[in-house]
Amino acid sequence: NADAAMALAKASGRNNFQFYTAAMNGAIRDKLALREGLRHAVARGEFHLVYQPQVAMTSGQVTGVEALIRWQHPERGLVSPTEFIPLAEETGLIVPIGEWVLRTACFQNRAWQDAGLPAFNVAVNVSARQFRERTWIEQVDRALDDSGLDPRFLELELTESLIMEDLEKALLSMRTLQAMGVQLSIDDFGTGYSSLSALKRFPISRLKIDQGFVRGIPGDEEDKAIAKAIISLGHELDLKVIAEGVETLQQLAFLRANGCDEIQGYLFSPPVTPAECATLVNARFAVAQGD
Ligand code: C2E
Ligand code: MG
Ligand code: MG
Ligand code: MG
């Protein structure tokens, strides 16, 4: 907090004051520069997508991939989406960036199918700001039309908070997307604040158990109870349940024993390039012991 830092700096003398303001100015300049860079990143072709396989618990086969954005910054190197997505949301730049992601993912999935790979879903993360755009549905429709991807192979990952921001309006958009044949899922499930009575109205096909709960398996009794409860809840509501952030065989065994439908995580594969992804989808992952 700037005021507190200044008060502290003043109290401890002039040199410190300069030190604190210099550090603060540096941080602010940094953020401004990053924001400025973000403005041109799409046009300069600095973004690319990586894809992380989602594996069916029963067959070990890849049923889908999640598209995750990467920014190759000319000076800084790879910048994490956890750093620049919030900036993109603040500035509204998430709208053109998000449309680029959506279109790239649709074209990529269609290209995989044209290359003769078995068909699977591509999941795209959607920001609240994007979802609220007046032209959002048109953007999805155009991405599907232009790429020629069958809508059932596109999945949009929404968050509880995005939906609960304006439940009735979100439900309208979700129903439109569902009618178009697009699949919807809830990302980071269990961390938001949607009520069960709202959840039952969501026209979705999948819940993604947040990786925070998966991380606690098998040591944390609460996390295990929550993961188990999400799986039962999902199944009662006729939804598929996928766990993200699965890193260990113990986590896999627990999720398998509790009927989780799909697995995504470093245990099977980190997010990879389209070419690497094409080889992974032909593989069969060892989901059961003795496989
Ligand atoms: P998310 O959608 O929940 O994506 C899952 C994140 O977990 C990804 O981080 C992924 O690389 C990471 N991950 C996957 N498996 C494991 C694992 O086994 N262990 C651990 N520790 N992590 C794992 P990433 O790619 O850094 O993305 C972070 C977040 O940034 C995403 O969380 C999503 O909220 C956002 N994001 C990424 N790409 C996009 C995008 O194209 N659009 C929007 N709006 N948001 C995006
Ligand atoms: Mg996601
Ligand atoms: Mg997530
Ligand atoms: Mg997320």
Side-chain angles (χ1 to χ4, degrees), residues 66 125 157-159 187-188 210 244:
E66 178 175 6
N125 291 286
E157 295 193 358
L158 312 176
T159 58
D187 201 358
D188 308 332
D210 186 68
E244 59 179 350

Side-chain angles (χ1 to χ4, degrees), residues 87-120:
L87 266 185
E89 283 167 345
E90 267 169 43
T91 53
L93 287 167
I94 191 65
V95 174
I97 294 171
E99 185 169 19
W100 178 86
V101 172
L102 177 70
R103 296 183 64 83
T104 306
C106 287
F107 275 87
Q108 180 60 67
N109 201 14
R110 179 60 203 243
W112 278 322
Q113 291 182 9
D114 288 345
L117 292 183
F120 49 83

